[in-house]
Each structure stands twice: as C-alpha cells, then as structure tokens.
Amino acid sequence: MSLMDEITGGGGAGRDPRFPHAPEGWTAARAVESGRREGLELGEEHWEALRALQEYYAKHEATAVNLRELHDALDEKFHRLGGIRQLYLLFPGGPVAQGCRIAGLKAPAGATDKGFGSVA
C-alpha cells in the first residue's frame, strides 16, 4: 500500500506515527486537501519536507522560529536533493510560507510579506 493510499484511506484516532512532530489536530488527510486547494498533488518529497518543517518547529519554540534560520535549515537538510531551489519547485508559494500552511504550522514573521519581492 502506498503512502497516499494510507492517507486517503483514513486511519485510527491518535497521532500518526509517520508524522511524530505534527501539531495537535493536524492530519495528513487535511494536508492533502490543503495541498489540492493550493494546486499541489503531494508526493513523497512533499511529505519529507512537511515532516522536516514539523520537526523543526518541535525542536524550536514556535514563537521563536526565525525565518532566515528555518530557510537555511531547509536548504541544508535538502542539499542532497537540490536544496532550497528544489523546495521552491515543490512549493511554488514558498517552501516556508506554503509548506507551513500545509504542515499545519504558523509561518514565521516575514515569510508571507510579498513586499520583499518574494515569499520564503
């Protein structure tokens, strides 16, 4: 059974073991729906990035998450796949801004400020 079959097939109550750092109330099924609303069909690389975002937030206090540090951490973690450039291909709305929305996280300050010419 594929990951997508497991996700769309529902699941039992409690925390999803594939996403141990997910915020309370977040489900993979909600992420699939959120991704579809944003024009994304989530694949394995998307799920890996969402897990990375959730893990980063779990290790740092959500109120203390710094946009630049998170951006750099994602670039380093996904260096083998092409770094932040590859993440922008996965999340055209910004790997931090759009990724956080789909991962059920509050994007850090400045992540959605289009006044800087781009989204993070």
Side-chain angles (χ1 to χ4, degrees):
M1 180 184 298
S2 74
L3 175 62
M4 191 55 67
D5 290 337
E6 291 177 36
I7 290 168
T8 57
R15 191 170 289 274
D16 187 331
R18 295 165 300 165
F19 301 94
H21 304 291
E24 190 68 34
W26 180 90
T27 66
R30 282 187 186 169
V32 168
E33 182 56 36
S34 178
R36 284 187 181 142
R37 280 193 309 271
E38 298 205 25
L40 299 176
E41 192 68 36
L42 301 180
E44 194 54 45
E45 287 181 332
H46 291 97
W47 294 114
E48 187 177 349
L50 296 175
R51 276 190 289 274
L53 284 164
Q54 291 172 347
E55 181 180 356
Y56 185 90
Y57 269 71
K59 290 182 179 178
H60 300 80
E61 290 198 33
T63 57
V65 172
N66 177 284
L67 173 60
R68 175 54 53 195
E69 290 174 6
L70 175 55
H71 190 271
D72 291 348
L74 288 172
D75 189 35
E76 183 177 329
K77 182 167 184 80
F78 291 93
H79 178 75
R80 64 182 164 57
L81 299 173
I84 204 71
R85 288 181 182 201
Q86 176 62 22
L87 292 177
Y88 271 100
L89 294 175
L90 293 173
F91 298 101
V96 174
Q98 188 174 41
C100 282
R101 282 193 302 273
I102 296 171
L105 306 165
K106 183 177 186 274
T112 57
D113 184 355
K114 294 183 181 185
F116 291 108
S118 175
V119 291

